[in-house]
Amino acid sequence: SRLDAEQFQLCFTRWVNSLCEVTEERFIAIDGKALRSSYDRNSRTSTIHMVSAFCAQNKLVLGQVKAEKKSNEITAIPELLRVLDLKGCLITIDAMGCQKEVAETIVNNGGDYLLAVKGNQKKLFHAIKSEFSALEDDLKESPLEQQHGRLEIREYRVIPAPKTEPFNDWSGIESIGQAISFRYDKTGKKCSLEYRYYISSKELNEETFATGVREHWGIENSLHWVLDTAFNEDACQIYRENAAQVLAVVRHMAVNMLRSDTTRKASIRRKTKMAAMEISYLEQILASMVSDEQ
């Protein structure tokens, strides 16, 4: 609880950078997660939110910052972006992070953005929707996907961004995209049709756009879900001073270490139990995540 949380986060980022070689065409998803039991019972402050950067290709946490509440994620995201190496990377963020300051920070740091657009940017949302309305009849035949008792069809379309308002207000904008998903739930026998819209500073083709949209949800499935199921993060009631924030970073370190170990095929949860019962395996995991310089 007495550790300087901000310095600890910087040490984490430097540690990850010393172990991972930065490659171009990386997809980095940024999203926030609440530590649900981290509220201070004495001062009755709200739970903290950790905004994390997650590399979709190698499933590693690259960095994180704290936001006091969900609405403060807007200010936390630029802070996180400034400590990351974004060169050659495509940064994906949900509608909460669709802000002009966020887009400008990414472009200024050598990266490209793919931002979801919803009602919080009403003028931009309706402008993109209008651009794609003329293409409604120009849909391709997409493959049918079957999984978890659902039938799904997805369609992705990308066009160059117009050079008019409100598009030219966004730093470096080059493309706008539309993701259409149709889902039929066999169990509940329900159908749903969803249209989602995006802006990007990169000249995307449909394949890269589709990959970016789908890889973004990896942070939910491969990080947030793992933190809750393998480490019981939401049930952790430690909250004094900086303890909750520091422990969140420690859990990210553990996820990176366990996921980088390829000697045994097992889930993160099972690997934690193996490391607890077998000291040689624990030493192997710790040693594998130390760089040559260290």
Side-chain angles (χ1 to χ4, degrees):
S1 65
R2 295 296 181 90
L3 287 174
D4 186 314
E6 292 183 4
Q7 289 298 320
F8 193 63
Q9 289 173 9
L10 288 174
C11 290
F12 173 90
T13 305
R14 291 172 187 146
W15 170 68
V16 173
N17 289 338
S18 72
L19 298 170
C20 305
E21 182 181 351
V22 178
T23 57
E24 292 192 359
E25 300 299 328
R26 284 194 309 173
F27 294 92
I28 298 178
I30 293 180
D31 196 18
K33 180 184 183 299
L35 279 61
R36 299 196 179 279
S37 297
S38 64
Y39 61 91
D40 191 329
R41 284 80 171 162
N42 300 321
S43 60
R44 297 192 177 185
T45 56
S46 60
T47 58
I48 66 172
H49 283 68
M50 294 299 293
V51 180
S52 306
F54 185 74
C55 183
Q57 280 95 330
N58 53 20
K59 300 187 185 304
L60 287 179
V61 186
L62 302 179
Q64 64 286 112
V65 295
K66 183 186 83 167
E68 291 295 344
K69 50 188 177 180
K70 188 171 180 61
S71 60
N72 286 359
E73 287 184 19
I74 296 174
T75 57
I77 290 173
E79 184 183 340
L80 175 58
L81 291 170
R82 292 186 188 102
V83 300
L84 298 175
D85 185 0
L86 306 181
K87 293 178 182 176
C89 300
L90 183 64
I91 316 301
T92 63
I93 313 176
D94 61 16
M96 174 70 78
C98 186
Q99 305 291 331
K100 293 176 183 178
E101 182 189 356
V102 171
E104 187 175 357
T105 301
I106 293 173
V107 172
N108 290 344
N109 283 274
D112 288 298
Y113 58 78
L114 178 61
L115 307 178
V117 182
K118 289 186 178 179
N120 61 328
Q121 295 289 345
K122 189 177 293 186
K123 190 175 180 180
L124 179 64
F125 176 79
H126 288 296
I128 298 174
K129 191 175 180 180
S130 176
E131 290 293 326
F132 281 101
S133 63
L135 307 175
E136 287 295 332
D137 298 329
D138 188 28
L139 293 174
K140 299 178 182 178
E141 187 173 336
S142 302
L144 180 67
E145 301 177 19
Q146 300 188 48
Q147 55 182 349
H148 307 298
R150 298 191 301 263
L151 298 177
E152 293 184 87
I153 299 176
R154 295 185 177 91
E155 175 70 25
Y156 301 94
R157 297 188 291 179
V158 184
I159 59 175
K163 302 300 181 183
T164 57
E165 291 188 356
F167 301 101
N168 55 13
D169 293 334
W170 292 79
S171 178
I173 188 171
E174 292 289 345
S175 310
I176 58 176
Q178 180 189 56
I180 308 171
S181 59
F182 171 80
R183 176 182 295 178
Y184 173 69
D185 188 339
K186 293 180 180 179
T187 306
K189 295 184 178 180
K190 295 181 180 178
C191 295
S192 63
L193 179 63
E194 184 181 13
Y195 291 80
R196 288 170 290 156
Y197 299 97
Y198 299 81
I199 60 172
S200 178
S201 61
K202 190 172 184 177
E203 294 182 5
L204 299 173
N205 55 38
E206 290 181 357
E207 182 180 356
T208 306
F209 172 58
T211 303
V213 170
R214 301 192 69 168
E215 289 286 7
H216 177 76
W217 299 110
I219 194 171
E220 291 286 350
N221 302 326
S222 300
L223 178 61
H224 295 168
W225 185 81
V226 169
L227 290 171
D228 285 335
T229 57
F231 296 98
N232 296 319
E233 183 172 73
D234 276 348
C236 181
Q237 297 187 16
I238 297 173
Y239 62 88
R240 191 178 67 176
E241 297 180 14
N242 294 328
Q245 188 177 352
V246 170
L247 277 176
V249 180
V250 171
R251 283 189 286 266
H252 287 170
M253 292 175 67
V255 169
N256 285 354
M257 288 180 175
L258 293 166
R259 187 159 274 147
S260 297
D261 175 66
T262 57
T263 59
R264 302 190 185 186
K265 277 194 171 184
S267 66
I268 297 292
R269 187 180 184 87
R270 192 175 170 200
K271 284 182 178 180
T272 60
K273 293 181 178 179
M274 290 178 182
M277 294 184 291
E278 189 178 334
I279 190 65
S280 60
Y281 181 56
L282 175 60
E283 291 174 344
Q284 175 184 313
I285 290 174
L286 294 173
S288 67
M289 293 301 286
V290 178
S291 69
D292 294 335
E293 293 179 1
Q294 293 171 317

